[in-house]
Amino acid sequence: MKTAFVGKGGSGKTTLAALFARHLAQQHVPLLAIDADINQHLAVALGAGQDEAALLPALGDHLDEIKEHLRGDNPRIASAAAMLKTTPPGAGSRLVGVGDGNPIYDRLVRPVGGVRLAVTGPFAVDDLGVACYHSKVGAVELLLNHMLDGPGEYAVVDMTAGADSFASGLFTRFDLTFLVCEPTVRSVGVYRQYTGYARDHGVRVAVVGNKVDDADDVAFLRDEVGDDLLGWIGRSAFVKAAERGRHLPIGDLEAGNAEALRTMRAALDGCGKDWPRYAAQAAEFHTRNATAWGNARAGADLTAQIDPDFVLQPATVAAH
């Protein structure tokens, strides 16, 4: 399953993404965590030191190589340069799994705190004034577009804060999105904004409360988000220790918070795969990007990259 963590800046979404990834890693399941947040804090939240995190290879710095690998011998894609971040797979494309070995993972995925991690990379000084961060996040969108994940496999993505997630079609690439919400008016405002945008695209959203102190906090969240509230994480000595650089074994997490992580996994496992919708949304956002700017840049109709007979799902892949 593919899942994302979103929320207001400072809500604790990176902390929860790290906790959830560590919880899954403890179960020894196929797992890939991806940091797609401009702030790039997931590695540290998983237990890396600042120096170690700074040395991790960045997906955004290897976008051309990622494109070259994924296009394979797809006859609809003339070259890696002709690929957009939204280019969907078709017959002849190379696909990736969650835990498989491939040149992309071999070069760009590293173990951090017991979790296999890929990072988009920070917004660099050379990018100022000439690029946007979403051009780097395009590497993540391409990977997820070409990812054939199976039962009991998990891709966990820490997304950019707030409504920035909607600057690309990346927000549609997940089976379930966990929206981390503090019991505050500002955090609930981000929830309303996010679900307002997501609703028209059939994006499943589950709210996970964070920094919850008491029953009044829970009642506030229930009043504001209703049935979208899946569970909550209480104030945590375990989390506080991690924020001070002391990363304890995940088994030491407080019982109530560990139960919240189990509830989250059960909710994710309970989401049925909708591969046709996934393919249709990929085609929709690729068409938008191609007609808005991609065709003019390439001097060709890039909507022709969409293979109408290809749906990314096990049956279709086996047939090809």
Side-chain angles (χ1 to χ4, degrees):
M1 307 298 287
K2 303 179 182 78
T3 188
F5 282 78
V6 301
K8 180 182 73 67
S11 64
K13 67 175 183 62
T14 299
T15 297
L16 262 67
L19 285 177
F20 190 62
R22 291 186 65 195
H23 170 73
L24 293 174
Q26 186 186 40
Q27 313 303 315
H28 304 291
V29 297
L31 169 66
L32 177 65
I34 303 175
D35 193 346
D37 186 359
I38 190 170
N39 293 313
Q40 295 287 281
H41 292 323
L42 186 55
V44 173
L46 288 170
Q50 293 287 352
D51 291 343
E52 178 188 356
L55 293 175
L56 292 173
L59 296 174
D61 293 340
H62 298 271
L63 185 56
D64 290 342
E65 297 165 45
I66 292 170
K67 288 179 177 180
E68 188 62 52
H69 176 78
L70 295 177
R71 79 181 184 99
D73 58 6
N74 185 335
R76 294 177 174 272
I77 304 174
S79 66
M83 291 181 75
L84 306 182
K85 62 183 181 179
T86 52
T87 296
S93 296
R94 288 195 182 98
L95 306 178
V96 296
V98 171
D100 66 342
N102 62 67
I104 298 173
Y105 292 174
D106 292 346
R107 182 162 186 178
L108 302 176
V109 174
R110 297 290 184 272
V112 177
V115 174
R116 295 169 61 250
L117 175 68
V119 303
T120 303
F123 197 71
V125 173
D126 291 345
D127 298 321
L128 294 176
V130 297
C132 73
Y133 187 67
H134 300 286
S135 63
K136 294 178 179 290
V137 177
V140 179
E141 189 166 357
L142 273 170
L143 277 179
L144 295 183
N145 274 347
H146 291 75
M147 183 177 288
L148 187 67
D149 49 308
E153 299 180 335
Y154 301 90
V156 177
V157 181
D158 183 23
M159 294 279 282
T160 53
D164 283 352
S165 299
F166 294 94
S168 72
L170 184 57
F171 74 98
T172 67
R173 302 293 83 196
F174 305 101
D175 299 295
L176 179 63
T177 296
F178 292 118
L179 195 152
V180 180
C181 193
E182 299 168 275
T184 66
V185 171
R186 286 184 61 198
S187 199
V188 167
V190 171
Y191 155 79
R192 293 198 177 113
Q193 183 183 39
Y194 196 98
T195 53
Y197 287 135
R199 190 174 298 114
D200 292 340
H201 296 278
V203 173
R204 299 185 186 105
V205 176
V207 173
V208 179
N210 192 32
K211 306 176 187 176
V212 171
D213 286 321
D214 50 33
D216 287 342
D217 286 345
V218 176
F220 175 82
L221 288 171
R222 286 199 189 282
D223 287 344
E224 297 295 333
V225 309
D227 292 340
D228 284 346
L229 183 63
L230 176 66
W232 56 89
I233 300 291
R235 296 284 182 177
S236 170
F238 180 96
V239 171
K240 182 180 289 187
E243 290 174 343
R244 293 175 175 176
R246 190 162 62 96
H247 294 269
L248 303 172
I250 190 65
D252 290 354
L253 183 67
E254 298 85 358
N257 292 335
E259 181 60 29
L261 296 179
R262 287 191 288 271
T263 299
M264 292 165 63
R265 181 182 177 183
L268 181 57
D269 287 343
C271 294
K273 280 287 190 185
D274 191 346
W275 290 111
R277 178 180 68 85
Y278 195 75
Q281 288 175 332
E284 173 191 351
F285 280 94
H286 182 64
T287 299
R288 289 188 186 188
N289 279 267
T291 56
W293 60 273
N295 290 348
R297 189 191 72 175
D301 180 11
L302 300 184
T303 63
Q305 292 178 346
I306 299 170
D307 185 341
D309 299 320
F310 188 92
V311 174
L312 181 64
Q313 60 183 339
T316 307
V317 173
H320 286 79

